[in-house]
Amino acid sequence: MDLDFWRERHLCTLTTLRPDGSPHVVPVGATYDPAARLVRVITDRASAKARYVLAGGAAGVRAAVCQVDGGRWATLEGRAVVRTGPEEVAEAVRRYTERYRPPRPNPTRVVIEITVERALGHG
């Protein structure tokens, strides 16, 4: 896997599943920590993506993050959970700031963490 591709500034898509099983695909900023095999997506607790992941309970739900740049693409798949701890949120914000820019303040921010089980890509 091209780890540099995951350090470059690219918007991603996050795919989760709605209760009826249909895909919910939304644009997100995402970061990848290869040492921990974690994708992190910051979001508001009330967002649809957070609600769909929270519906999976402690076991989480299947999810995928994808990014594309011309002929290069990468998808990271795994099990997603929502984290609310201040340290977890701060770490996700730090990583988001490094890859993108400082996010706007959000007192109801949470982190969707995906433990990567499969990586696909080209280029």
Side-chain angles (χ1 to χ4, degrees):
M1 175 178 8
D2 182 1
L3 295 179
D4 288 337
F5 190 39
W6 285 101
R7 290 184 198 91
E8 298 169 7
R9 188 184 191 281
H10 296 287
L11 289 179
C12 301
T13 58
L14 170 67
T15 303
T16 54
L17 298 177
R18 295 181 180 99
D20 68 1
S22 64
H24 177 255
V25 183
V26 292
V28 297
T31 63
Y32 177 51
D33 177 355
R37 297 190 57 84
L38 282 180
V39 172
R40 293 177 176 93
V41 175
I42 57 175
T43 190
D44 191 273
R45 182 179 182 85
S47 70
K49 57 188 163 287
R51 290 193 322 268
Y52 296 146
V53 174
L54 284 166
V61 298
R62 302 288 307 160
V65 170
C66 182
Q67 64 182 16
V68 177
D69 180 37
R72 296 187 304 162
W73 63 272
T75 300
L76 301 174
E77 300 175 4
R79 190 149 294 276
V81 295
V82 172
R83 304 284 186 210
T84 60
E87 299 84 14
E88 295 158 321
V89 172
E91 178 63 11
V93 167
R94 182 187 72 75
R95 289 174 179 275
Y96 181 93
T97 299
E98 284 180 3
R99 186 170 192 202
Y100 299 101
R101 65 174 188 261
R104 64 177 170 70
N106 181 353
T108 57
R109 177 172 288 130
V110 297
V111 181
I112 296 173
E113 286 186 353
I114 302 169
T115 300
V116 176
E117 299 167 357
R118 182 183 314 169
L120 308 163
H122 177 37

